[in-house]
Amino acid sequence: MKRLKLNYLFIGLVMVLLALALWPSIPWYGGATDRIAQIKSRGVLRVSTINSPLTYYTVNKSPAGMDYELAKRFADYLGVKLEVTVRPNLSDLFDDLEDDKADVLAAGLIYNNERLAHFRAGPTYYSVSQQLVYRIGATRPKNLGDLKGRLIVASGSAYLSTLRGSKENQYPDLDWAISTDQTPQTLLQAVADGKIDYTVGDSVTIGLMQRIHPQLAVAFDITDEEPVTWYVQREQDDSLNAAMLDFYNQMGEEGAMARLDEKYLGHVGTFDYVDTRTFLRAIDGTLPGIQPLFEKYAQSIDWRLLAAISYQESHWNPQATSPTGVRGMMMLTRNTADSLNVTDRTDPEQSVRGGSEYLVRMMEKVPAGIPDDERIWFALAAYNMGYAHMLDARKLTEKQQGNPDSWADVKLRLPMLSQKRYYSQTTYGFARGHEAYAYVENIRKYQISLVGYLEDQERKLAQKAATEAELGNAYPAVPPQLAMN
């Protein structure tokens, strides 16, 4: 009997140890080690990011941005809701992973070997180079050993390891300061405003920022192209990484990744300082008087896009006239104006109303297979060179094994419509497709500048109001009679 009791005691001890070992993976415990299982059980994908013109921002009170759209699609892929947390700086961002407050960091983060000691990188979704920036008017440095001022970079950024490597291997006198409370974007703004001399940023963000702050100039590239990735916790479980890889592969196969790339990166291109400065001056000087017209008549598009179209057409000049006879702020032909009941093409209100209505007609005619967020670009190409020629561009794209419903594919064929070996294959023949290409690209750049510039003005006004409020609280008004005593 005593031996039997000892056996039971031994078996019981083994069972307890086995239960402790298996405890975390038992479903009723609620702490599954499988990261994807945790996310699905929670019903929420937690993503941390920062505000920037590419990663995450708000338009008409709705979230937007390349990383936001990717994260939303990934949450849909997992069948869960998306929860986005916006952090003020990169250090707080990575703290969220360490403290298990986020499943994924989606913030346009550069792949960095030092980060891999603590975190894991996801698939690459675009590439950038690291660049040194300064303000136009200052002396342009030739290299990192030629800096004549203060260099500040954001804490937690990949730029720090790059600078450390440069100091160790090439420029021993290189020095910099680290900002713990600012993002790379706010440091770029500080350079543009003349508050600091230099900072380091990525080529895509800098290209977008120059549309709003044209005084921001690139001195030189510090690195070659580097991948941009999401980051997740470093753990033995590979389920989240495997899910991300499958999701990215699916996005690539469906062409969805190419469309996102075109939407957010396809118009970054070359930067024209003079043109951008001229446009921003027009926003300050001319737009306030005609903005109500764009707000009134913009129908299926944002009023700022309609304003950008008008600027591309006429530079907001009601009396504008082209050699071909088109006139007014929306540069309507006589026939188009008649069909829209526009009796005076030089009247700003009639022109904006007519142009908006004509654009709606074009969007309604665009083939149904084209994604909703790309219909506007096809409609604008048709607005510029004619609907039939836009159809020709789609057919040519299909002949060349491209996707006729993808603007990224079709826009590359537009310039071909002016080359005989290509337009001879089309139904409607020669067209100034290169002009239509430039037309749409310019409008997209003007829209980026307009949206960003107006938001920047609002930010500055809010900062000014907050500063005045703080000063008011710090120095309360003193009644005159007390002040005289």
Side-chain angles (χ1 to χ4, degrees), residues 444-462:
R444 297 178 72 181
K445 292 172 185 176
Y446 290 140
Q447 182 191 18
I448 288 290
S449 291
L450 180 55
V451 171
Y453 189 70
L454 293 179
E455 288 181 350
D456 192 56
Q457 287 182 322
E458 290 179 4
R459 176 184 62 83
K460 289 178 178 177
L461 287 173

Side-chain angles (χ1 to χ4, degrees), residues 123-389:
T124 300
Y125 54 111
Y126 65 97
S127 298
V128 297
S129 60
Q130 297 181 34
Q131 297 177 324
L132 185 97
V133 295
Y134 69 108
R135 194 176 193 274
I136 284 182
T139 302
R140 177 180 181 176
K142 299 176 182 178
N143 52 54
L144 289 172
D146 190 36
L147 304 187
K148 301 292 192 299
R150 197 176 185 206
L151 168 62
I152 302 179
V153 291
S155 174
S157 68
Y159 313 133
L160 289 170
S161 58
T162 301
L163 293 176
R164 284 193 290 266
S166 295
K167 183 178 179 68
E168 292 173 6
N169 301 320
Q170 196 169 6
Y171 305 107
D173 295 329
L174 178 63
D175 193 21
W176 61 88
I178 299 174
S179 174
T180 58
D181 60 350
Q182 297 190 76
T183 64
Q185 182 191 350
T186 54
L187 288 173
L188 289 171
Q189 290 173 346
V191 172
D193 294 339
K195 295 178 180 178
I196 62 176
D197 300 300
Y198 312 107
T199 193
V200 180
D202 73 76
S203 52
V204 170
T205 300
I206 292 168
L208 292 170
M209 290 286 289
Q210 286 178 316
R211 309 286 176 203
I212 308 165
H213 303 284
Q215 61 272 41
L216 195 65
V218 176
F220 51 83
D221 285 359
I222 300 176
T223 68
D224 294 328
E225 290 277 306
E226 301 173 306
V228 172
T229 74
W230 286 354
Y231 281 89
V232 299
Q233 293 180 27
R234 174 164 286 285
E235 51 193 0
Q236 292 183 345
D237 169 42
D238 287 329
S239 62
L240 181 53
N241 280 72
M244 283 196 298
L245 185 60
D246 184 62
F247 165 70
Y248 273 73
N249 287 337
Q250 182 177 304
M251 288 278 288
E253 291 171 1
E254 295 174 352
M257 187 64 79
R259 289 195 295 271
L260 271 183
D261 185 87
E262 167 61 27
K263 180 176 181 179
Y264 288 101
L265 306 176
H267 54 283
V268 174
T270 57
F271 168 64
D272 187 325
Y273 172 80
V274 174
D275 183 60
T276 304
R277 287 287 295 170
T278 302
F279 179 53
L280 297 183
R281 288 193 188 101
I283 293 175
D284 287 332
T286 307
L287 182 61
I290 53 178
Q291 180 175 328
L293 296 179
F294 299 124
E295 292 175 329
K296 179 179 180 180
Y297 290 109
Q299 298 181 41
S300 54
I301 62 173
D302 187 280
W303 73 264
R304 292 165 293 191
L305 176 54
L306 183 61
I309 295 168
S310 177
Y311 185 82
Q312 170 63 23
E313 290 285 1
S314 65
H315 282 209
W316 295 330
N317 177 10
Q319 304 300 319
T321 304
S322 82
T324 58
V326 293
R327 301 190 68 185
M329 285 182 60
M330 299 298 290
M331 297 298 269
L332 303 175
T333 65
R334 169 56 66 189
N335 290 338
T336 299
D338 290 343
S339 72
L340 296 163
N341 296 318
V342 173
T343 58
D344 183 359
R345 289 179 289 169
T346 63
D347 177 72
E349 183 158 8
Q350 288 193 53
S351 184
V352 172
R353 174 188 61 78
S356 179
E357 290 178 4
Y358 185 67
L359 187 59
V360 169
R361 289 184 188 179
M362 289 294 102
M363 291 185 69
E364 290 174 348
K365 290 175 67 176
V366 168
I370 294 171
D372 289 344
D373 59 350
E374 295 194 5
R375 297 177 70 82
I376 181 61
W377 313 127
F378 286 86
L380 284 172
Y383 187 102
N384 178 261
M385 67 178 182
Y387 185 77
H389 291 302

